[in-house]
Amino acid sequence: MELEVRHLRALCAIADAGSLHKAARQLGMSQPSLTTQLRRIENALGAELFSRERTGCRPTPLGRSVLSRARPLVSGMASLVAEARVAAGLADGPRLRIGSTASRALVGWLRRLRNRLPGTDISLHMDVSANALLRMLAAGQLDVAFVHEVEGCPLLVPEGLERRVLVEREPQFISMARDHPAAGSPVVELADLAEDRWMVDPTVDGEWDGLRRVLGAAGLNPPVLHGDYLTAASLIAVGEAVAPCQPTSGPRDDMAIRPLRDDPLAVRLLLFSRPGPEEAGAGAGAEAEAGALGAERVGAEGAGGRDEVFADLEAAYREAALRAVDYRRWLTAHKSPLLHAPAA
């Protein structure tokens, strides 16, 4: 068997995800298919590239060597394809390619962008992995990426990307069944959930590590279920689990959403973009001027200014935040600047 770019891409995904299960989800294939593909790659090279452990997969010394050569090839191919597509689509008009993790601000953000940029082809790519979106952005496959960073679990940010902070510290609330004993309180103590099963999606970058850190610091070791949050909602509604959730989450008749005492779980909301052509070639001494130099461009296509794109996101997030009753109370209690729209 001859190695192809798709094989190298699979190896990189396994190394980045740390497990075949997570990598298969990111690649959009089944775990058995990925396992078979890895076995064929290893057979073609004559040795194991990953050691299979109870906690996941770890590259062997040979695997690390292969990965060091594979990554630039995969990145180079992604850039080649992205640049070719951009060149092919230039005649079709401006476009804005957005990547995002899950957020209730997305609907309002897209609506504002479409109103402000008529005639622009605006696309959306969703992914549970913020790191995967940042890699796509760095490779030229996206123009901006709106992601969350779990507190205590820094993202792996490729060199050269620019970052703007939407919310420095967004508290994560808790979703539970409407008849849960703790649902009667406006603020929930972690200790009140010590006997509950906690649901967490391990494919969301930092999610499990962040939750484990907070529970451990509180001296709690509750049973944990691993699964996606769509499944979690069904289990939570019937009292089988509790789970962290975004404070902007909308109300449901069968579910209660409450803040945690002292907000131990939190994320940072960030918007990343690539530098404009002027910035990319400005040299190492131009960091101080980066914001001004590329303010009129989002990506290679220049579909709108980055300041305006960020302002639209900010307004959409404020709209979603104020619509969520419990979060609005939290913002009021903490005298958050989100309560006040900036002057026009």
Side-chain angles (χ1 to χ4, degrees):
M1 181 187 81
E2 291 188 3
L3 289 185
E4 303 173 11
V5 173
R6 64 188 178 92
H7 299 136
L8 302 181
R9 188 178 297 114
L11 295 179
C12 293
I14 295 169
D16 292 338
S19 79
L20 288 166
H21 172 70
K22 294 180 185 178
R25 283 190 60 173
Q26 291 180 14
L27 294 168
M29 60 193 302
S30 68
Q31 182 175 334
S33 297
L34 182 57
T35 301
T36 300
Q37 187 176 91
L38 175 58
R39 190 178 299 116
R40 289 174 177 168
I41 295 170
E42 291 178 327
N43 288 339
L45 296 178
E48 285 193 348
L49 301 179
F50 293 90
S51 58
R52 282 68 157 179
E53 302 172 357
R54 185 175 59 84
T55 56
C57 291
R58 181 175 302 185
T60 62
L62 175 62
R64 287 194 293 271
S65 176
V66 171
L67 285 164
S68 70
R69 302 287 298 275
R71 290 188 188 281
L73 293 173
V74 171
S75 178
M77 180 59 73
S79 297
L80 184 154
V81 172
E83 290 167 10
R85 287 175 175 168
V86 168
L90 284 178
D92 298 331
R95 61 179 181 168
L96 177 59
R97 299 164 300 171
I98 297 171
S100 180
T101 51
S103 172
R104 270 123 187 127
L106 279 176
V107 173
W109 189 27
L110 290 174
R111 183 181 70 246
R112 285 170 169 81
L113 288 171
R114 293 190 192 285
N115 289 338
R116 191 171 56 76
L117 300 170
T120 298
D121 178 13
I122 300 175
S123 62
L124 175 65
H125 180 91
M126 299 288 296
D127 201 305
V128 297
S129 171
N131 285 318
L133 291 170
L134 295 183
R135 289 193 296 271
M136 291 181 66
L137 178 62
Q141 297 168 280
L142 298 172
D143 296 312
V144 293
F146 174 41
V147 299
H148 69 275
E149 179 180 64
V150 177
E151 192 169 68
C153 304
L155 295 173
L156 304 174
V157 182
E159 186 177 354
L161 298 186
E162 296 184 352
R163 183 193 72 188
R164 296 189 70 167
V165 179
L166 176 67
V167 178
E168 183 62 43
R169 193 173 193 270
E170 181 195 68
Q172 297 300 278
F173 286 5
I174 290 296
S175 55
M176 64 193 81
R178 178 63 66 178
D179 59 357
H180 191 289
S185 303
V187 179
V188 176
E189 305 282 349
L190 262 180
D192 294 339
L193 308 174
E195 302 302 319
D196 287 284
R197 298 181 186 87
W198 285 69
M199 190 88 177
V200 65
D201 187 343
T203 64
V204 179
D205 295 327
E207 200 94 334
W208 170 223
D209 290 336
L211 177 60
R212 181 167 48 188
R213 176 179 57 82
V214 168
L215 292 175
L220 303 179
N221 187 28
V224 175
L225 305 176
H226 288 176
D228 64 273
Y229 286 124
L230 184 61
T231 303
S234 300
L235 294 174
I236 292 166
V238 297
E240 286 296 317
V242 299
C245 68
Q246 297 175 14
T248 50
S249 300
R252 286 179 47 152
D253 293 337
D254 55 358
M255 194 180 294
I257 295 170
R258 299 287 183 269
L260 284 168
R261 177 78 63 192
D262 299 325
D263 309 308
L265 289 168
V267 302
R268 184 162 58 157
L269 302 182
L270 305 164
L271 182 69
F272 285 89
S273 61
R274 289 179 291 114
E278 299 91 344
E279 299 163 58
E287 287 83 359
E289 298 182 273
L293 284 173
E296 298 305 313
R297 297 179 68 83
V298 171
E301 294 73 60
R306 277 176 289 183
D307 288 345
E308 289 81 2
V309 169
F310 182 81
D312 285 342
L313 175 58
E314 198 172 31
Y317 181 83
R318 182 181 298 104
E319 180 181 67
L322 298 183
R323 193 166 48 234
V325 176
D326 286 292
Y327 193 23
R328 187 168 65 242
R329 290 189 187 125
W330 185 96
L331 293 169
T332 302
H334 289 77
K335 298 181 173 58
S336 170
L338 274 173
L339 294 168
H340 311 290

